[in-house]
Amino acid sequence: MKVSERQLERYPIYLKYLISMRDSGLATISSPMIANALTFSEEQVRKDLQVVSINNGKPKTGRDINELIRDIQHFLGYDNAINACIVGVGHLGKALLNYKGFKDFGLNIVCGFDSDNNVIGQKINGLEIFSIYQLANKIEELKIEVAILVTPSNVAQEVTNKLMNAGIKGIWNFVPTHLKVNNDIVVENINMASSFAILNHKLKK
Amino acid sequence: MKVSERQLERYPIYLKYLISMRDSGLATISSPMIANALTFSEEQVRKDLQVVSINNGKPKTGRDINELIRDIQHFLGYDNAINACIVGVGHLGKALLNYKGFKDFGLNIVCGFDSDNNVIGQKINGLEIFSIYQLANKIEELKIEVAILVTPSNVAQEVTNKLMNAGIKGIWNFVPTHLKVNNDIVVENINMASSFAILNHKLKK
DNA sequence: TAGATTGTTAATCGATTAACAATC
DNA sequence: TAGATTGTTAATCGATTAACAATC
């Protein structure tokens, strides 16, 4: 079963909503109800949920909400956490080191890296900051698969090259720079400028 | 001329690349060259650039790089800055208050808001933090159009309601919660869980 | 001139929406 | 039973890619 990226993006949104509904005491939920709450179409919700659900829904009642939550979490791999590091301990890097939400989606931050001697050796939120020269060692030792890239733009590609040499598998790139990587490396971008372009465009009409 | 959201997301990516090429001394650039650098298809690049360009490209040479930069910046509204505020001065809120990159894309952060008396009245990066009770006043006084929402999840909707009452026009939502808003309010989400779902999915196959 | 790149029009591809019989 | 919701199959919609004549 193949899923599109748009579709993948929707599952965490379903999940958040379903958890809040469960916490407010709901036991079952229907696609039209979810669709209405999240302003998706009900056909889309039904299709999306079919893809991840082990059991069928029941006509007239919908789906068991706990089962659905479990199925989505499993599908998204939340029960199989990935170790990650923060690369670049500036304002945003520090904020991400302190962010509590990552473990909710199976992302386990184990340390940070920086090139600045003033931060190397420090602990932030209990996580040690290592020198960029220790990348290869620590990635292997701590079984780090993903680097969360939050360096200044001008060094992003150079650091990316180091990460590739150090054996990283994926890069979650918060830097507004297009990274060139080997084609066995997975890159996913958080691009604030792109997101804001949509907001701004909608505002101006 | 209508543009899709996917397309809008690409323009800031073009822009970053074009500026770096200009800074390295290039005067003109062709669609195939851009396509190759950013791993887009050349047809797509050509179509995208046609939409925003005032002048046509020249067969065999391509487009004037400065003109192209100007056209994209104008199309994205970067020459018509929008005032915004940070709502919620936690780790991420502080990082965004300190972030230098916003003004590059026409976003002018003018202040922050929080409910915690320990931060109200402080200045971060020269920007004053006001009480959430001053929302309506300050939004009018400082001509704030956009709120950058970085509160805890559990108060996001409640704060959103306050923002709507205070006359906000757009919300850039960094909180992983689906916001219910009046349909004259523009919402754009930065959803880290959604982005990570894509990364994780690609990693696991 | 030859050839790379352009702009435009047509074809393909993929995702969303609609339709509808099945069923709890 | 009646009716809401399901799963599935077909239709539509929109975006990307391909084709190709025009041109610097």
Side-chain angles (χ1 to χ4, degrees):
Chain A
M1 179 61 69
K2 71 168 190 291
V3 280
S4 70
E5 295 195 359
R6 293 297 129 248
Q7 199 176 345
L8 278 168
E9 288 179 341
R10 288 192 293 269
Y11 289 113
I13 300 169
Y14 292 127
L15 197 53
K16 257 279 167 185
Y17 173 69
L18 292 169
I19 288 172
S20 77
M21 287 298 102
R22 180 196 61 187
D23 291 350
S24 68
L26 213 60
T28 62
I29 197 162
S30 71
S31 298
M33 182 174 172
I34 298 172
N36 179 59
L38 302 178
T39 53
F40 295 154
S41 80
E42 64 175 78
E43 297 91 339
Q44 187 170 65
V45 174
R46 240 181 301 141
K47 280 246 160 114
D48 286 348
L49 300 187
Q50 276 173 45
V51 170
V52 297
S53 294
I54 293 174
N55 297 317
N56 280 350
K58 289 207 185 79
K60 189 132 196 214
T61 49
R63 290 166 187 282
D64 182 284
I65 212 166
N66 278 305
E67 219 173 88
L68 193 47
I69 288 170
R70 217 179 321 117
D71 287 345
I72 294 177
Q73 286 175 333
H74 178 70
F75 178 78
L76 291 176
Y78 288 7
D79 46 11
N80 185 8
I82 284 186
N83 290 332
C85 59
I86 305 284
V87 180
V89 187
H91 287 294
L92 186 52
K94 283 193 183 110
L96 295 180
L97 280 162
N98 278 293
Y99 186 62
K100 311 291 186 225
F102 289 138
K103 64 172 164 319
D104 290 344
F105 47 91
L107 187 60
N108 184 29
I109 313 288
V110 296
C111 68
F113 293 95
D114 205 291
S115 59
D116 180 354
N117 285 321
N118 292 318
V119 292
I120 293 167
Q122 274 191 29
K123 285 200 171 186
I124 296 179
N125 193 25
L127 301 168
E128 193 165 353
I129 313 304
F130 298 112
S131 160
I132 204 84
Y133 294 109
Q134 294 173 271
L135 265 183
N137 286 343
K138 291 296 172 186
I139 283 176
E140 192 184 356
E141 179 189 335
L142 302 171
K143 299 190 191 334
I144 297 170
E145 290 183 56
V146 167
I148 301 177
L149 194 70
V150 274
T151 64
S153 291
N154 59 322
V155 298
Q157 183 61 54
E158 180 193 332
V159 172
T160 297
N161 298 342
K162 287 199 170 80
L163 285 165
M164 287 194 290
N165 288 332
I168 207 76
K169 292 185 184 157
I171 297 175
W172 201 12
N173 177 31
F174 284 66
V175 184
T177 299
H178 179 83
L179 303 176
K180 280 183 201 129
V181 296
N182 304 337
N183 54 16
D184 57 334
I185 308 285
V186 177
V187 176
E188 177 64 23
N189 300 292
I190 293 264
N191 192 327
M192 292 204 288
S194 290
S195 175
F196 183 71
I198 297 174
L199 179 64
N200 201 4
H201 191 260
K202 285 181 187 163
L203 274 174
K204 280 173 177 162
K205 56 173 192 186
Chain B
M1 181 59 68
K2 72 168 187 292
V3 280
S4 71
E5 294 195 0
R6 292 299 129 246
Q7 199 175 345
L8 278 169
E9 287 178 343
R10 287 192 294 267
Y11 289 113
I13 299 169
Y14 291 128
L15 197 53
K16 257 279 167 186
Y17 173 69
L18 291 169
I19 287 171
S20 77
M21 287 298 102
R22 180 196 61 188
D23 290 350
S24 68
L26 213 61
T28 62
I29 197 162
S30 71
S31 298
M33 181 173 173
I34 297 171
N36 179 58
L38 302 178
T39 53
F40 295 154
S41 79
E42 63 175 78
E43 298 91 339
Q44 187 171 63
V45 174
R46 239 178 304 139
K47 280 243 160 118
D48 285 348
L49 300 187
Q50 277 174 43
V51 169
V52 298
S53 295
I54 293 174
N55 297 318
N56 279 351
K58 289 208 184 79
K60 189 132 192 207
T61 49
R63 291 166 187 283
D64 183 283
I65 212 167
N66 278 305
E67 218 173 88
L68 193 47
I69 289 170
R70 218 179 321 117
D71 288 345
I72 294 177
Q73 286 176 332
H74 178 70
F75 179 77
L76 292 176
Y78 288 8
D79 46 9
N80 186 8
I82 284 185
N83 290 333
C85 60
I86 304 285
V87 181
V89 186
H91 287 294
L92 186 52
K94 282 192 183 111
L96 296 179
L97 281 162
N98 278 294
Y99 185 61
K100 311 293 186 221
F102 289 139
K103 65 173 165 316
D104 291 343
F105 47 91
L107 187 60
N108 184 29
I109 313 289
V110 296
C111 68
F113 292 94
D114 205 290
S115 60
D116 180 354
N117 284 322
N118 292 318
V119 292
I120 293 167
Q122 274 189 29
K123 285 200 170 185
I124 296 178
N125 192 25
L127 301 168
E128 193 165 352
I129 313 305
F130 298 112
S131 161
I132 204 85
Y133 294 109
Q134 294 172 271
L135 266 182
N137 285 343
K138 292 296 172 185
I139 282 176
E140 192 184 356
E141 179 189 335
L142 302 172
K143 301 190 190 333
I144 297 170
E145 290 183 56
V146 167
I148 302 177
L149 194 70
V150 274
T151 64
S153 291
N154 59 323
V155 298
Q157 183 62 54
E158 180 193 330
V159 172
T160 296
N161 297 342
K162 287 198 170 81
L163 285 165
M164 288 193 289
N165 289 332
I168 207 75
K169 292 186 183 155
I171 297 176
W172 200 11
N173 177 30
F174 284 67
V175 183
T177 299
H178 179 84
L179 302 176
K180 280 185 201 127
V181 296
N182 304 338
N183 53 16
D184 57 335
I185 308 284
V186 177
V187 175
E188 177 64 24
N189 301 293
I190 293 264
N191 192 326
M192 292 204 288
S194 291
S195 175
F196 184 71
I198 297 174
L199 179 64
N200 201 5
H201 191 261
K202 286 181 187 164
L203 274 174
K204 279 173 178 165
K205 56 172 192 187

mmCIF file of all heavy atoms in Angstrom, chain B residues 53-86:
data_model
loop_
_atom_site.group_PDB
_atom_site.id
_atom_site.type_symbol
_atom_site.label_atom_id
_atom_site.label_comp_id
_atom_site.label_asym_id
_atom_site.label_seq_id
_atom_site.Cartn_x
_atom_site.Cartn_y
_atom_site.Cartn_z
ATOM 1 N N SER B 53 7.536 36.202 -13.509
ATOM 2 C CA SER B 53 8.448 37.096 -14.228
ATOM 3 C C SER B 53 7.704 38.141 -15.037
ATOM 4 O O SER B 53 6.712 37.846 -15.685
ATOM 5 C CB SER B 53 9.342 36.297 -15.173
ATOM 6 O OG SER B 53 10.183 35.459 -14.427
ATOM 7 N N ILE B 54 8.210 39.347 -14.982
ATOM 8 C CA ILE B 54 7.652 40.429 -15.785
ATOM 9 C C ILE B 54 8.119 40.291 -17.232
ATOM 10 O O ILE B 54 7.326 40.340 -18.160
ATOM 11 C CB ILE B 54 8.058 41.792 -15.193
ATOM 12 C CG1 ILE B 54 7.378 41.965 -13.830
ATOM 13 C CG2 ILE B 54 7.677 42.930 -16.134
ATOM 14 C CD1 ILE B 54 7.787 43.192 -13.075
ATOM 15 N N ASN B 55 9.403 40.064 -17.419
ATOM 16 C CA ASN B 55 9.955 39.906 -18.764
ATOM 17 C C ASN B 55 10.136 38.436 -19.106
ATOM 18 O O ASN B 55 10.330 37.607 -18.225
ATOM 19 C CB ASN B 55 11.298 40.618 -18.869
ATOM 20 C CG ASN B 55 11.160 42.113 -18.670
ATOM 21 O OD1 ASN B 55 10.235 42.740 -19.185
ATOM 22 N ND2 ASN B 55 12.066 42.688 -17.883
ATOM 23 N N ASN B 56 10.120 38.148 -20.392
ATOM 24 C CA ASN B 56 10.385 36.788 -20.851
ATOM 25 C C ASN B 56 11.856 36.438 -20.699
ATOM 26 O O ASN B 56 12.712 37.317 -20.676
ATOM 27 C CB ASN B 56 10.004 36.645 -22.328
ATOM 28 C CG ASN B 56 8.507 36.432 -22.498
ATOM 29 O OD1 ASN B 56 7.789 36.236 -21.518
ATOM 30 N ND2 ASN B 56 8.045 36.482 -23.724
ATOM 31 N N GLY B 57 12.124 35.157 -20.617
ATOM 32 C CA GLY B 57 13.502 34.693 -20.676
ATOM 33 C C GLY B 57 13.997 34.716 -22.108
ATOM 34 O O GLY B 57 13.205 34.820 -23.041
ATOM 35 N N LYS B 58 15.298 34.630 -22.266
ATOM 36 C CA LYS B 58 15.879 34.635 -23.612
ATOM 37 C C LYS B 58 16.364 33.229 -23.967
ATOM 38 O O LYS B 58 17.171 32.659 -23.235
ATOM 39 C CB LYS B 58 17.079 35.588 -23.678
ATOM 40 C CG LYS B 58 16.716 37.047 -23.612
ATOM 41 C CD LYS B 58 17.766 37.902 -24.341
ATOM 42 C CE LYS B 58 17.477 39.385 -24.205
ATOM 43 N NZ LYS B 58 17.905 39.917 -22.886
ATOM 44 N N PRO B 59 15.871 32.697 -25.101
ATOM 45 C CA PRO B 59 16.385 31.404 -25.538
ATOM 46 C C PRO B 59 17.909 31.408 -25.546
ATOM 47 O O PRO B 59 18.519 32.413 -25.904
ATOM 48 C CB PRO B 59 15.834 31.276 -26.958
ATOM 49 C CG PRO B 59 14.584 32.056 -26.929
ATOM 50 C CD PRO B 59 14.845 33.207 -26.008
ATOM 51 N N LYS B 60 18.457 30.325 -25.137
ATOM 52 C CA LYS B 60 19.895 30.091 -25.081
ATOM 53 C C LYS B 60 20.613 30.691 -23.865
ATOM 54 O O LYS B 60 21.625 30.153 -23.437
ATOM 55 C CB LYS B 60 20.565 30.573 -26.379
ATOM 56 C CG LYS B 60 21.998 30.181 -26.478
ATOM 57 C CD LYS B 60 22.352 29.574 -27.798
ATOM 58 C CE LYS B 60 23.713 28.981 -27.606
ATOM 59 N NZ LYS B 60 24.551 28.849 -28.653
ATOM 60 N N THR B 61 20.127 31.817 -23.328
ATOM 61 C CA THR B 61 20.817 32.372 -22.159
ATOM 62 C C THR B 61 20.027 32.184 -20.862
ATOM 63 O O THR B 61 20.599 31.959 -19.809
ATOM 64 C CB THR B 61 21.105 33.872 -22.322
ATOM 65 O OG1 THR B 61 19.914 34.524 -22.737
ATOM 66 C CG2 THR B 61 22.191 34.114 -23.348
ATOM 67 N N GLY B 62 18.701 32.290 -20.959
ATOM 68 C CA GLY B 62 17.894 32.174 -19.755
ATOM 69 C C GLY B 62 17.381 33.514 -19.267
ATOM 70 O O GLY B 62 16.881 34.314 -20.053
ATOM 71 N N ARG B 63 17.509 33.760 -17.971
ATOM 72 C CA ARG B 63 16.950 34.977 -17.395
ATOM 73 C C ARG B 63 18.007 35.781 -16.649
ATOM 74 O O ARG B 63 18.969 35.226 -16.110
ATOM 75 C CB ARG B 63 15.830 34.638 -16.398
ATOM 76 C CG ARG B 63 14.605 34.085 -17.037
ATOM 77 C CD ARG B 63 13.677 33.445 -16.011
ATOM 78 N NE ARG B 63 12.565 32.769 -16.674
ATOM 79 C CZ ARG B 63 11.523 33.399 -17.183
ATOM 80 N NH1 ARG B 63 11.405 34.718 -17.090
ATOM 81 N NH2 ARG B 63 10.572 32.724 -17.798
ATOM 82 N N ASP B 64 17.775 37.082 -16.582
ATOM 83 C CA ASP B 64 18.614 37.960 -15.781
ATOM 84 C C ASP B 64 18.380 37.636 -14.312
ATOM 85 O O ASP B 64 17.243 37.664 -13.830
ATOM 86 C CB ASP B 64 18.252 39.417 -16.065
ATOM 87 C CG ASP B 64 19.153 40.374 -15.307
ATOM 88 O OD1 ASP B 64 18.951 40.551 -14.074
ATOM 89 O OD2 ASP B 64 20.067 40.933 -15.921
ATOM 90 N N ILE B 65 19.435 37.328 -13.598
ATOM 91 C CA ILE B 65 19.288 36.791 -12.253
ATOM 92 C C ILE B 65 18.778 37.844 -11.264
ATOM 93 O O ILE B 65 17.952 37.552 -10.392
ATOM 94 C CB ILE B 65 20.617 36.140 -11.790
ATOM 95 C CG1 ILE B 65 20.343 34.954 -10.859
ATOM 96 C CG2 ILE B 65 21.547 37.138 -11.154
ATOM 97 C CD1 ILE B 65 21.564 34.084 -10.634
ATOM 98 N N ASN B 66 19.218 39.087 -11.445
ATOM 99 C CA ASN B 66 18.749 40.148 -10.556
ATOM 100 C C ASN B 66 17.276 40.450 -10.756
ATOM 101 O O ASN B 66 16.528 40.653 -9.794
ATOM 102 C CB ASN B 66 19.564 41.428 -10.773
ATOM 103 C CG ASN B 66 20.866 41.393 -10.008
ATOM 104 O OD1 ASN B 66 20.889 41.195 -8.802
ATOM 105 N ND2 ASN B 66 21.972 41.545 -10.729
ATOM 106 N N GLU B 67 16.889 40.466 -12.022
ATOM 107 C CA GLU B 67 15.496 40.710 -12.357
ATOM 108 C C GLU B 67 14.614 39.612 -11.757
ATOM 109 O O GLU B 67 13.569 39.881 -11.168
ATOM 110 C CB GLU B 67 15.374 40.683 -13.884
ATOM 111 C CG GLU B 67 14.428 41.695 -14.470
ATOM 112 C CD GLU B 67 14.529 41.664 -15.989
ATOM 113 O OE1 GLU B 67 13.791 40.859 -16.600
ATOM 114 O OE2 GLU B 67 15.339 42.424 -16.552
ATOM 115 N N LEU B 68 15.087 38.388 -11.885
ATOM 116 C CA LEU B 68 14.345 37.240 -11.386
ATOM 117 C C LEU B 68 14.188 37.313 -9.866
ATOM 118 O O LEU B 68 13.096 37.089 -9.327
ATOM 119 C CB LEU B 68 15.085 35.962 -11.787
ATOM 120 C CG LEU B 68 14.363 34.630 -11.657
ATOM 121 C CD1 LEU B 68 12.970 34.690 -12.246
ATOM 122 C CD2 LEU B 68 15.184 33.544 -12.334
ATOM 123 N N ILE B 69 15.274 37.653 -9.197
ATOM 124 C CA ILE B 69 15.216 37.798 -7.739
ATOM 125 C C ILE B 69 14.193 38.857 -7.355
ATOM 126 O O ILE B 69 13.344 38.636 -6.487
ATOM 127 C CB ILE B 69 16.612 38.149 -7.171
ATOM 128 C CG1 ILE B 69 17.529 36.923 -7.277
ATOM 129 C CG2 ILE B 69 16.509 38.625 -5.721
ATOM 130 C CD1 ILE B 69 18.990 37.206 -6.966
ATOM 131 N N ARG B 70 14.251 39.981 -8.057
ATOM 132 C CA ARG B 70 13.318 41.062 -7.761
ATOM 133 C C ARG B 70 11.872 40.629 -8.001
ATOM 134 O O ARG B 70 10.985 40.890 -7.185
ATOM 135 C CB ARG B 70 13.656 42.299 -8.618
ATOM 136 C CG ARG B 70 13.471 43.603 -7.874
ATOM 137 C CD ARG B 70 13.843 44.808 -8.736
ATOM 138 N NE ARG B 70 15.019 44.585 -9.560
ATOM 139 C CZ ARG B 70 15.004 44.591 -10.908
ATOM 140 N NH1 ARG B 70 13.877 44.799 -11.566
ATOM 141 N NH2 ARG B 70 16.126 44.398 -11.564
ATOM 142 N N ASP B 71 11.650 39.935 -9.106
ATOM 143 C CA ASP B 71 10.288 39.493 -9.437
ATOM 144 C C ASP B 71 9.733 38.521 -8.398
ATOM 145 O O ASP B 71 8.571 38.609 -8.012
ATOM 146 C CB ASP B 71 10.271 38.840 -10.820
ATOM 147 C CG ASP B 71 10.437 39.855 -11.947
ATOM 148 O OD1 ASP B 71 10.286 41.064 -11.686
ATOM 149 O OD2 ASP B 71 10.731 39.438 -13.081
ATOM 150 N N ILE B 72 10.568 37.584 -7.972
ATOM 151 C CA ILE B 72 10.098 36.623 -6.967
ATOM 152 C C ILE B 72 9.822 37.330 -5.642
ATOM 153 O O ILE B 72 8.794 37.109 -5.001
ATOM 154 C CB ILE B 72 11.116 35.478 -6.763
ATOM 155 C CG1 ILE B 72 11.223 34.630 -8.039
ATOM 156 C CG2 ILE B 72 10.701 34.580 -5.591
ATOM 157 C CD1 ILE B 72 12.252 33.512 -7.959
ATOM 158 N N GLN B 73 10.741 38.191 -5.246
ATOM 159 C CA GLN B 73 10.551 38.923 -3.986
ATOM 160 C C GLN B 73 9.264 39.741 -4.021
ATOM 161 O O GLN B 73 8.507 39.773 -3.057
ATOM 162 C CB GLN B 73 11.746 39.832 -3.709
ATOM 163 C CG GLN B 73 12.980 39.055 -3.250
ATOM 164 C CD GLN B 73 14.201 39.918 -3.066
ATOM 165 O OE1 GLN B 73 14.342 40.956 -3.722
ATOM 166 N NE2 GLN B 73 15.109 39.496 -2.196
ATOM 167 N N HIS B 74 9.026 40.365 -5.157
ATOM 168 C CA HIS B 74 7.806 41.156 -5.277
ATOM 169 C C HIS B 74 6.568 40.260 -5.230
ATOM 170 O O HIS B 74 5.600 40.551 -4.530
ATOM 171 C CB HIS B 74 7.819 41.967 -6.568
ATOM 172 C CG HIS B 74 6.559 42.757 -6.758
ATOM 173 N ND1 HIS B 74 6.242 43.849 -5.977
ATOM 174 C CD2 HIS B 74 5.513 42.583 -7.600
ATOM 175 C CE1 HIS B 74 5.070 44.322 -6.338
ATOM 176 N NE2 HIS B 74 4.600 43.573 -7.321
ATOM 177 N N PHE B 75 6.647 39.158 -5.972
ATOM 178 C CA PHE B 75 5.519 38.226 -6.002
ATOM 179 C C PHE B 75 5.190 37.699 -4.615
ATOM 180 O O PHE B 75 4.020 37.555 -4.247
ATOM 181 C CB PHE B 75 5.840 37.054 -6.940
ATOM 182 C CG PHE B 75 4.755 36.030 -7.017
ATOM 183 C CD1 PHE B 75 3.615 36.267 -7.775
ATOM 184 C CD2 PHE B 75 4.858 34.829 -6.323
ATOM 185 C CE1 PHE B 75 2.600 35.325 -7.847
ATOM 186 C CE2 PHE B 75 3.837 33.889 -6.391
ATOM 187 C CZ PHE B 75 2.713 34.138 -7.153
ATOM 188 N N LEU B 76 6.219 37.428 -3.827
ATOM 189 C CA LEU B 76 6.013 36.890 -2.480
ATOM 190 C C LEU B 76 5.665 37.984 -1.468
ATOM 191 O O LEU B 76 5.400 37.699 -0.311
ATOM 192 C CB LEU B 76 7.257 36.122 -2.019
ATOM 193 C CG LEU B 76 7.557 34.818 -2.763
ATOM 194 C CD1 LEU B 76 8.870 34.214 -2.262
ATOM 195 C CD2 LEU B 76 6.428 33.805 -2.579
ATOM 196 N N GLY B 77 5.682 39.232 -1.927
ATOM 197 C CA GLY B 77 5.305 40.328 -1.044
ATOM 198 C C GLY B 77 6.390 40.747 -0.074
ATOM 199 O O GLY B 77 6.118 41.375 0.951
ATOM 200 N N TYR B 78 7.637 40.421 -0.375
ATOM 201 C CA TYR B 78 8.728 40.748 0.548
ATOM 202 C C TYR B 78 8.985 42.243 0.633
ATOM 203 O O TYR B 78 9.617 42.709 1.578
ATOM 204 C CB TYR B 78 10.019 40.042 0.111
ATOM 205 C CG TYR B 78 10.039 38.551 0.344
ATOM 206 C CD1 TYR B 78 8.913 37.865 0.760
ATOM 207 C CD2 TYR B 78 11.211 37.823 0.148
ATOM 208 C CE1 TYR B 78 8.945 36.496 0.959
ATOM 209 C CE2 TYR B 78 11.245 36.454 0.344
ATOM 210 C CZ TYR B 78 10.114 35.796 0.744
ATOM 211 O OH TYR B 78 10.153 34.443 0.939
ATOM 212 N N ASP B 79 8.502 42.971 -0.364
ATOM 213 C CA ASP B 79 8.692 44.423 -0.348
ATOM 214 C C ASP B 79 7.544 45.128 0.359
ATOM 215 O O ASP B 79 7.419 46.341 0.319
ATOM 216 C CB ASP B 79 8.882 44.951 -1.778
ATOM 217 C CG ASP B 79 7.856 44.375 -2.755
ATOM 218 O OD1 ASP B 79 6.887 43.709 -2.298
ATOM 219 O OD2 ASP B 79 8.013 44.570 -3.960
ATOM 220 N N ASN B 80 6.705 44.355 1.007
ATOM 221 C CA ASN B 80 5.526 44.916 1.661
ATOM 222 C C ASN B 80 5.363 44.215 3.000
ATOM 223 O O ASN B 80 4.477 43.390 3.190
ATOM 224 C CB ASN B 80 4.311 44.677 0.745
ATOM 225 C CG ASN B 80 3.062 45.331 1.251
ATOM 226 O OD1 ASN B 80 3.104 46.100 2.216
ATOM 227 N ND2 ASN B 80 1.944 45.024 0.623
ATOM 228 N N ALA B 81 6.244 44.567 3.943
ATOM 229 C CA ALA B 81 6.388 43.793 5.177
ATOM 230 C C ALA B 81 5.116 43.775 6.022
ATOM 231 O O ALA B 81 4.317 44.707 6.000
ATOM 232 C CB ALA B 81 7.555 44.320 6.001
ATOM 233 N N ILE B 82 4.967 42.693 6.739
ATOM 234 C CA ILE B 82 3.825 42.468 7.617
ATOM 235 C C ILE B 82 4.306 42.478 9.067
ATOM 236 O O ILE B 82 5.341 41.881 9.384
ATOM 237 C CB ILE B 82 3.172 41.112 7.284
ATOM 238 C CG1 ILE B 82 2.344 41.237 6.002
ATOM 239 C CG2 ILE B 82 2.337 40.596 8.432
ATOM 240 C CD1 ILE B 82 1.565 39.990 5.669
ATOM 241 N N ASN B 83 3.572 43.154 9.934
ATOM 242 C CA ASN B 83 3.913 43.155 11.353
ATOM 243 C C ASN B 83 3.341 41.913 12.040
ATOM 244 O O ASN B 83 2.204 41.535 11.792
ATOM 245 C CB ASN B 83 3.367 44.399 12.038
ATOM 246 C CG ASN B 83 4.115 45.655 11.610
ATOM 247 O OD1 ASN B 83 5.285 45.590 11.237
ATOM 248 N ND2 ASN B 83 3.435 46.782 11.655
ATOM 249 N N ALA B 84 4.167 41.329 12.888
ATOM 250 C CA ALA B 84 3.726 40.119 13.569
ATOM 251 C C ALA B 84 4.176 40.137 15.027
ATOM 252 O O ALA B 84 5.066 40.893 15.410
ATOM 253 C CB ALA B 84 4.288 38.880 12.882
ATOM 254 N N CYS B 85 3.538 39.295 15.825
ATOM 255 C CA CYS B 85 3.927 39.145 17.220
ATOM 256 C C CYS B 85 4.121 37.659 17.528
ATOM 257 O O CYS B 85 3.560 36.801 16.850
ATOM 258 C CB CYS B 85 2.843 39.716 18.137
ATOM 259 S SG CYS B 85 1.240 38.916 17.946
ATOM 260 N N ILE B 86 4.937 37.403 18.549
ATOM 261 C CA ILE B 86 5.130 36.040 19.023
ATOM 262 C C ILE B 86 4.203 35.841 20.216
ATOM 263 O O ILE B 86 4.260 36.616 21.178
ATOM 264 C CB ILE B 86 6.586 35.817 19.481
ATOM 265 C CG1 ILE B 86 7.575 36.156 18.367
ATOM 266 C CG2 ILE B 86 6.782 34.388 20.003
ATOM 267 C CD1 ILE B 86 7.683 35.168 17.265
#
